[in-house]
Amino acid sequence: MKKRITILSGAGISAESGISTFRDSDGLWENHRIEDVATPEAWHRNPELVLQFYNLRRKQLLEVEPNDAHFAITELQTKFDVQVITQNVDDLHERAGNENVLHLHGELKKVRSTAYPFDVYDLDGWELLIGDTCDSGHQLRPHIVWFGEEVPNLSVAAQMVSESDAVIIVGTSLNVYPAASLYQFAKTDCPIWIIDPKANELSYPESITAINDKAGAALPRLVDSLLKGEIIL
Ligand code: APR
């Protein structure tokens, strides 16, 4: 049976594709405070602003491409059973050919009913507007897990980590819970790597191997070692 490798990814894996991370820019996310665009309160206060913000994020997806880190994961699939658990809402993992992708914080290209949370749709194009409604006539909202909202895929993600033979954390500052605690579900003998150019500024147990480098360089190197059997799981 193939060994299972789980990738826990965050904004940093998409940075080299040109998508800004959250915490590398003075607490602002594309010039907005997170509280103004990514909370249920923001949605109630100013839904137009929230829609516009996510419309621009969605439009940006048309201008960016997956990078070497995303493609390295596709390579890894040739020999391993690979599961991606991402905090990202972009679709770069999928566009690179990553097969098993679980989105913890939602997906930009999907929208859902404000009345029926399980009523989820693929959005045609990039713009969602006030007045766009679900099949039962209720306003649609971005299919995004905002701050203060539950993370519906958390327990399935924890289960996946617990069944892994190796875990690679890449491009997340491990600031946002519960996603940040997922690696703790790994078996005690499961090797864990963290890839981040600022890995030495992050906090995690000493048993985790840090690679202080960008995802686009470090992940292909690590994948190469795994594929060549230089690292044995
Ligand atoms: N390669 C790898 N890592 C990188 C790169 C790169 N090229 N560039 C930046 N990084 C690292 C940063 O050093 C930082 O540690 O990526 C990390 C990004 O951290 P955050 O911006 O905090 O992103 P993330 O951890 O994904 O944020 C989690 O916060 O706003 C919410 O819901 C949103 O899913 C998001 C969550």
Side-chain angles (χ1 to χ4, degrees):
M1 214 170 67
K2 286 181 178 173
K3 298 274 186 177
R4 152 82 57 101
I5 301 182
T6 297
I7 314 281
L8 296 175
S9 72
I13 199 169
S14 299
E16 289 157 81
S17 294
I19 300 182
S20 316
T21 61
F22 302 95
R23 291 174 186 79
D24 281 326
S25 47
D26 300 330
L28 291 184
W29 181 20
E30 302 284 358
N31 300 320
H32 291 278
R33 295 185 317 145
I34 283 173
E35 311 83 84
D36 291 339
V37 288
T39 62
E41 293 75 23
W43 173 247
H44 289 299
R45 218 172 25 238
N46 193 345
E48 287 87 357
L49 175 71
V50 173
L51 287 185
Q52 186 203 24
F53 175 77
Y54 285 100
N55 285 345
L56 292 178
R57 307 279 70 71
R58 214 176 281 115
K59 190 176 177 201
Q60 185 187 31
L61 287 188
L62 302 172
E63 295 149 18
V64 298
E65 297 290 339
N67 64 56
D68 289 347
H70 300 101
F71 289 118
I73 296 172
T74 308
E75 286 294 307
L76 196 60
Q77 290 171 172
T78 57
K79 193 165 161 192
F80 295 94
D81 172 11
V82 180
Q83 176 67 55
V84 176
I85 302 174
T86 186
Q87 295 172 74
N88 299 345
V89 295
D90 65 54
D91 61 349
L92 296 181
H93 281 297
E94 287 88 348
R95 279 163 55 193
N98 302 174
E99 282 165 6
N100 306 312
V101 184
L102 183 72
H103 287 268
L104 286 176
H105 294 163
E107 292 175 67
L108 268 177
K109 291 176 80 173
K110 293 185 175 170
V111 296
R112 70 171 184 259
S113 167
T114 45
Y116 303 105
F118 296 106
D119 210 356
V120 178
Y121 304 81
D122 291 322
L123 184 67
D124 283 333
W126 54 270
E127 231 177 348
L128 180 66
L129 300 171
I130 296 294
D132 290 343
T133 55
C134 68
D135 290 345
S136 41
H138 299 275
Q139 176 66 43
L140 289 165
R141 58 163 272 184
H143 185 49
I144 300 287
V145 176
W146 286 324
F147 280 90
E149 294 187 319
E150 254 183 71
V151 179
N153 288 332
L154 191 67
S155 51
V156 51
Q159 179 76 25
M160 286 166 173
V161 174
S162 74
E163 290 168 357
S164 302
D165 298 298
V167 172
I168 303 171
I169 304 169
V170 50
T172 169
S173 63
L174 299 173
N175 260 300
V176 173
Y177 286 84
S181 58
L182 271 176
Y183 70 81
Q184 295 170 10
F185 289 89
K187 287 177 280 201
T188 44
D189 60 348
C190 173
I192 306 181
W193 290 269
I194 184 163
I195 297 174
D196 195 304
K198 291 187 185 161
N200 49 2
E201 294 172 24
L202 307 178
S203 80
Y204 47 83
E206 275 179 15
S207 55
I208 296 184
T209 306
I211 305 176
N212 277 275
D213 201 351
K214 292 184 173 182
L219 194 54
R221 271 202 316 267
L222 180 57
V223 163
D224 200 45
S225 298
L226 286 159
L227 290 176
K228 285 183 176 151
E230 292 165 1
I231 298 170
I232 297 171
L233 301 180

